[in-house]
Amino acid sequence: MLVLGASTGYGLAARIAATWLYNAETLGVFFERPGDGTKTGTAGFYNTAAFHRLAKSENFKSINLNGDAFSSTMKAEVIAHIKAKMGQVDAVIYSLAAPRRTDPHTGEVYSSTLKPIGASYTGKTIDLNNETVTEITIPPATAEEIRGTIGVMGGDDLRLWTEALLEADALAEGARVVPFSYIGPEVTHPIYRSGTIGKAKEDLERTTEKLNVLLQDRIGGRACISVNKAVITQASSAIPVVPLYVSLLYRIMKERGVHEEPIHQMVRLFREHIGPGQTPTLDEENRIRLDDRELAPDIQAEVSRLWDTITTDNLRTLTDYDGFKRGFRQLFGFEVEGVNYEEEVEVEASID
Ligand code: NAD
């Protein structure tokens, strides 16, 4: 299996799930900084080193390529590794989340923006620096900003990957290509689904439909979007409004016993939809919906009921802000149970 964006969040969870559910051989691509002398690297680098060590200790094949997945060089390198070491892959998980992308053909650098479209948006958010609930006003995106966001997070790079893999005969008969999307509730629509990032996701979804036809035609394969639930990742924490929504959502879903982290979502993705022998259950727009529990009417009715009443004073009782904060810190290795933070650590780690 090929995982693009394999070092953190949904991509890492997909890689772990496929390895230990199906003994999958995985090739992971990510963009992380290794530790250097006395300077620590980025969290995703150490996540990958830990994954690699555990996978190898149980004799699972794990290949890691650190670099820009948007580049033609990385596509060629990945294909060379697949051909030499794996033959073909039967699944591609596309889980890249990035602020910028350089178009490999034109050299244009696209930047993504998180803004509403058409009108400015004023809404509630958490100011993470001083832990207060405040209002933010975000001006509408310019046409250039919409174009830039589509350039980074839209479907163009997925198309280039799929075409390159097909061209090189690196996809096995019946292979599945699965990119991720998000829809979310009304309260985040102005900033997410109806905003610049939503436009990019629509483009990704349209591209996936076209690639589905191509894959069916060429290798009896399939491309389908998986719409995942909101979770705490580096990418989602950077979106205004989302950390407050996630804090509230986590409290409600935990209380009702339906809470899921990325690993639970990815286990469900493989077991119920794309794992060996599974046929994905799709909505009317051909998407897998792992956000079904998040968007369940009773959960969202509770979100709507409480949203307007959240203030700085009741933030910790009405929402799971403390859980959000811990989850965010854990992305970087802090507040992890069982770790002795007094112990000396090695900043260099191996992913080979
Ligand atoms: P994340 O920030 O945890 O992971 C992003 C991954 O992309 C990392 O492995 C990073 O190294 C890699 N990456 C970034 N730029 C790269 C580049 N140029 N070359 C190679 N690798 C690069 O993000 P995430 O939240 O797990 O998001 C992954 C996907 O899931 C996105 O499509 C996102 O929209 C989607 N999604 C996220 C959520 C959520 O709540 N987090 C919900 C639904 C869908």
Side-chain angles (χ1 to χ4, degrees), residues 4-11 29-32 67-70 94-100 153 180-182 192 197 201 204 226-236 242 246:
L4 300 165
S7 54
T8 55
Y10 274 122
V29 182
F30 42 84
F31 209 179
E32 303 290 350
D68 183 9
F70 297 135
Y94 188 86
S95 189
L96 298 175
R100 262 173 303 284
M153 294 295 285
F180 296 148
S181 190
Y182 183 64
Y192 200 98
I197 180 74
K201 290 298 185 191
L204 179 71
S226 174
V227 182
N228 301 343
K229 85 176 267 280
V231 291
I232 305 164
T233 66
Q234 293 181 43
S236 71
V242 169
V246 167

Side-chain angles (χ1 to χ4, degrees), residues 333 336-345:
V336 177
E337 245 175 71
V339 173
N340 176 3
Y341 290 95
E342 302 301 315
E343 238 173 63
E344 290 277 316
V345 287

Side-chain angles (χ1 to χ4, degrees), residues 71-324:
S71 69
S72 302
T73 324
M74 179 54 86
K75 290 183 176 72
E77 214 178 310
V78 165
I79 286 167
H81 272 83
I82 293 175
K83 301 299 280 183
K85 299 181 183 145
M86 302 164 101
Q88 290 181 315
V89 290
D90 45 25
V92 180
I93 298 292
Y94 188 86
S95 189
L96 298 175
R100 262 173 303 284
R101 167 176 171 250
T102 303
D103 187 306
H105 297 302
T106 63
E108 181 173 354
V109 179
Y110 297 108
S111 290
S112 76
T113 317
L114 294 159
K115 285 190 176 173
I117 292 175
S120 64
Y121 165 70
T122 299
K124 250 182 201 185
T125 195
I126 307 178
D127 181 336
L128 295 170
N129 291 321
N130 51 24
E131 307 193 325
T132 52
V133 177
T134 56
E135 277 215 330
I136 42 154
T137 298
I138 307 167
T142 61
E144 192 50 30
E145 287 172 325
I146 299 171
R147 187 174 163 273
T149 310
I150 295 172
V152 180
M153 294 295 285
D156 196 44
D157 181 60
L158 176 72
R159 178 182 63 77
L160 293 173
W161 268 108
T162 309
E163 288 173 356
L165 290 162
L166 270 176
E167 179 69 21
D169 196 24
L171 294 179
E173 196 67 29
R176 281 150 190 213
V177 173
V178 184
F180 296 148
S181 190
Y182 183 64
I183 294 177
E186 293 280 322
V187 291
T188 64
H189 277 188
I191 192 68
Y192 200 98
R193 194 66 194 187
S194 316
T196 45
I197 180 74
K199 279 277 166 285
K201 290 298 185 191
E202 281 169 19
D203 183 74
L204 179 71
E205 291 174 22
R206 272 195 305 274
T207 305
T208 305
E209 290 261 20
K210 287 188 198 145
L211 294 173
N212 187 40
V213 175
L214 178 72
L215 286 171
Q216 269 174 9
D217 189 43
R218 298 274 289 274
I219 53 163
R222 188 193 270 279
C224 63
I225 285 278
S226 174
V227 182
N228 301 343
K229 85 176 267 280
V231 291
I232 305 164
T233 66
Q234 293 181 43
S236 71
S237 305
I239 307 174
V241 189
V242 169
L244 182 58
Y245 168 68
V246 167
S247 301
L248 180 57
L249 178 75
Y250 269 37
R251 202 214 85 205
I252 299 167
M253 291 185 80
K254 279 178 185 173
E255 234 166 51
R256 294 178 189 210
V258 290
H259 174 68
E260 288 176 302
E261 296 287 350
I263 190 68
H264 305 111
Q265 287 262 293
M266 294 298 99
V267 166
R268 204 141 69 86
L269 176 69
F270 286 105
R271 284 228 173 105
E272 297 175 13
H273 299 282
I274 64 162
Q278 296 301 319
T279 304
T281 306
L282 304 174
D283 68 6
E284 63 288 350
E285 288 171 54
N286 291 326
R287 303 172 298 200
I288 295 167
R289 299 300 299 266
L290 296 178
D291 62 345
D292 51 350
R293 295 174 188 166
E294 171 185 358
L295 295 189
D298 64 315
I299 301 286
Q300 287 305 320
E302 192 65 356
V303 168
S304 307
R305 190 177 74 80
L306 294 174
W307 184 257
D308 287 337
T309 67
I310 306 171
T311 62
T312 303
D313 290 339
N314 63 24
L315 176 65
R316 289 190 153 84
T317 46
L318 277 191
T319 82
D320 187 23
Y321 176 66
D322 288 322
F324 170 83

